[in-house]
């Protein structure tokens, strides 16, 4: 994986800042390798609620990763 340029890093950071606090928490747990069930337990949510957010956050995470790749 190539090192991100300062511009790419800034673009990734901006995407993350635009997330809601809850989405940021889900993304952080996703980055830490937790699955939907584990995220739901950690945040005190139902799995199906986390699944809906997870789909959106995963798409954003892929955008952030593609900025770095």
């Amino acid at each position: 994986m190539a090192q991100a340029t300062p511009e790419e890093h800034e673009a990734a950071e901006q995407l993350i800042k635009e997330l809601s606090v809850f989405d940021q928490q889900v993304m952080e747990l996703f980055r830490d390798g937790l699955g939907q069930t584990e995220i739901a337990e950690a945040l005190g949510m139902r799995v199906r609620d986390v699944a809906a957010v997870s789909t959106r956050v995963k798409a954003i995470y892929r955008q952030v990763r593609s900025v770095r790749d």
Side-chain angles (χ1 to χ4, degrees):
M1 181 183 327
Q3 188 74 356
T5 66
E7 293 82 14
E8 291 169 333
H9 181 73
E10 180 61 33
E13 289 298 316
Q14 187 58 41
L15 283 173
I16 294 168
K17 287 178 186 176
E18 292 174 8
L19 295 173
S20 70
V21 172
F22 177 72
D23 288 356
Q24 288 178 20
Q25 290 174 327
V26 171
M27 184 169 183
E28 188 66 33
L29 294 172
F30 175 66
R31 280 197 299 200
D32 289 345
L34 275 66
Q36 292 179 3
T37 301
E38 296 163 315
I39 292 171
E41 290 172 1
L43 298 177
M45 305 293 293
R46 294 181 298 186
V47 174
R48 69 181 190 191
D49 294 336
V50 172
V53 174
S54 180
T55 299
R56 183 174 67 252
V57 170
K58 283 180 182 181
I60 292 168
Y61 182 69
R62 283 190 295 273
Q63 286 178 341
V64 170
R65 289 290 307 255
S66 70
V67 167
R68 295 207 55 198
D69 293 342

